[in-house]
Amino acid sequence: MLLSVNSISKLFDDSRGIKNISFNVKEGEIVTILGPSGCGKTTILNILGGFLKIDTGDILFLDKNINDELPEDRNISTIFQNYALFPHMNVIENVSYGLKYGNNISKKDRFDLANKYIDLVGLKGYEKEKISNLSGGQQQRVAIARSIITNPMLLLLDEPFSNLDAQLRVKMRKEIKELQEKFKISMLFVTHDQEEALSISDRIIVMNSGEIIQIGTPEEIYYNPKNDFVSSFIGSSNEIIDDKKMRKIRPEDIKMKYVDEISKWRVHNKFFMGAITKYILIDIENKNTIEVTLIGKEGAKFNIDDRVDIEV
């Protein structure tokens, strides 16, 4: 096992910190820690990076205890939320910086290697550019190149796409996945974005209030949530009584069709979002509401006040 986190705790006070956290990361795996703000995600990343000391527990990296190792002595690299680039250095100086210390490499060789990584992340031609002249996406690429040039076995990423617009976030997810597959680097993400976690992860760790709630593949987390918190935090779910039993149904697992005015369901609201359309249906008898998600042009044909029937 590449990384084993065994019952670690770090308490700042009675209400802040992490408690009894255990999980592992395999070689070549992307694991995402997902949860709301303040749940302890970044605390775990800072502990693994060597920037915080734990109160109890053990961290094993390739079966070696690294509880007391300094950040520079761990074969772990961190990409911070603000990228932590050096504003007084240009792109190639930033990327080559990690090779400057602890390596018997000449400046020419450092820059030659940095050029290769700059090319790999799609920034060829920007080698002498100032950091302040780069867009958010370009700065992120510099941070990635600077991190992977040292050939770490584990890359930690703290909310890596939070400063990017929606379209660029999707593009960078794809690029991160491709780089991970190319270099076989294990990655541990931290995010509060459910879509991001589902799309990029091999496994997801769901956290709340400093504790792990569930660990599983994206499919396991989404289709078999452990409790109400997981089902509501990962996507949306409806509570529908079927055969006198309460069932939790995802909005996309419900179909709609037109019926006459005797139907109890009426379209209360509609949100067209391009590829998908979200509907809020209201039960005219008891005023309960459910959410339905339909795809494509055919799924956008219903209108507010239409009477419909549903099929689960």
Side-chain angles (χ1 to χ4, degrees):
M1 191 65 62
L2 178 67
L3 174 73
S4 295
V5 177
N6 300 322
S7 301
I8 66 169
S9 296
K10 174 67 178 180
L11 298 177
F12 302 101
D13 54 41
D14 291 340
S15 60
R16 295 188 307 122
I18 59 170
K19 293 159 281 187
N20 196 33
I21 298 296
S22 296
F23 64 90
N24 58 60
V25 178
K26 303 171 186 174
E27 291 189 34
E29 187 178 34
I30 298 181
V31 176
T32 296
I33 304 176
L34 175 67
S37 297
C39 73
K41 306 184 300 293
T42 297
T43 296
I44 293 175
L45 232 63
N46 285 332
I47 287 171
L48 297 179
F51 308 111
L52 276 178
K53 293 287 187 182
I54 54 176
D55 297 332
T56 59
D58 291 296
I59 305 166
L60 302 181
F61 193 71
L62 292 175
D63 297 325
K64 176 187 176 184
N65 190 302
I66 61 169
N67 286 12
D68 298 320
E69 284 196 357
L70 297 173
E72 58 268 28
D73 294 330
R74 307 180 182 204
N75 196 5
I76 297 172
S77 186
T78 304
I79 297 179
F80 298 97
Q81 187 172 351
N82 64 358
Y83 310 140
L85 299 173
F86 301 114
H88 62 286
M89 297 182 184
N90 61 28
V91 169
I92 195 168
E93 289 169 338
N94 265 279
V95 173
S96 63
Y97 182 81
L99 300 173
K100 190 173 183 180
Y101 302 100
N103 295 283
N104 188 22
I105 305 176
S106 69
K107 182 176 180 180
K108 179 183 182 303
D109 288 341
R110 292 200 308 270
F111 275 32
D112 285 346
L113 189 57
N115 274 315
K116 293 179 182 178
Y117 279 84
I118 289 169
D119 189 17
L120 281 171
V121 297
L123 287 178
K124 187 174 182 178
Y126 287 85
E127 294 82 0
K128 300 297 179 64
E129 198 70 51
K130 293 182 178 179
I131 296 300
S132 59
N133 292 339
L134 302 179
S135 67
Q138 290 169 333
Q139 289 184 24
Q140 186 182 62
R141 288 185 174 93
V142 175
I144 292 169
R146 186 180 65 180
S147 294
I148 64 177
I149 196 172
T150 58
N151 197 30
M153 295 192 70
L154 179 63
L155 185 61
L156 310 177
L157 301 101
D158 187 8
E159 300 276 7
F161 309 126
S162 61
N163 297 323
L164 308 179
D165 61 54
Q167 188 173 8
L168 188 54
R169 282 201 301 270
V170 174
K171 186 174 186 293
M172 288 306 298
R173 286 177 209 158
K174 180 175 180 291
E175 292 183 4
I176 284 279
K177 188 77 173 176
E178 290 173 351
L179 284 170
Q180 186 267 340
E181 291 172 352
K182 182 179 181 67
F183 290 99
K184 308 299 181 186
I185 301 174
S186 300
M187 294 185 178
L188 184 65
F189 270 79
V190 154
T191 186
H192 64 273
D193 187 311
Q194 300 93 330
E195 181 181 322
E196 186 174 294
L198 291 169
S199 65
I200 203 169
S201 311
D202 295 308
R203 286 187 299 135
I204 297 173
I205 301 167
V206 182
M207 289 190 64
N208 191 33
S209 300
E211 297 180 314
I212 290 177
I213 309 300
Q214 185 173 357
I215 300 176
T217 66
E219 293 83 3
E220 289 169 344
I221 296 291
Y222 190 80
Y223 291 116
N224 298 292
K226 184 177 181 180
N227 55 25
D228 288 344
F229 171 79
V230 179
S231 65
S232 60
F233 190 74
I234 311 292
S236 301
S237 62
N238 300 295
E239 292 186 344
I240 295 179
I241 297 177
D242 187 11
D243 294 330
K244 297 183 179 180
K245 294 181 179 179
M246 184 68 73
R247 298 173 59 195
K248 286 188 177 293
I249 306 296
R250 294 290 188 185
E252 64 272 18
D253 291 329
I254 300 175
K255 297 180 181 179
M256 286 166 48
K257 64 180 180 180
Y258 288 114
V259 292
D260 59 34
E261 292 195 3
I262 65 171
S263 171
K264 72 172 186 175
W265 294 107
R266 176 174 62 84
V267 178
H268 180 66
N269 219 330
K270 175 181 179 178
F271 304 93
F272 176 72
M273 304 173 71
I276 65 171
T277 305
K278 293 187 177 182
Y279 296 92
I280 305 298
L281 306 187
I282 189 167
D283 186 331
I284 60 176
E285 296 174 1
N286 56 32
K287 306 305 179 184
N288 290 337
T289 61
I290 62 172
E291 181 180 325
V292 179
T293 300
L294 302 179
I295 64 171
K297 187 175 181 180
E298 183 69 14
K301 67 182 181 181
F302 300 94
N303 296 301
I304 293 175
D305 289 331
D306 283 347
R307 292 294 184 89
V308 297
D309 200 0
I310 64 170
E311 178 183 340
V312 177

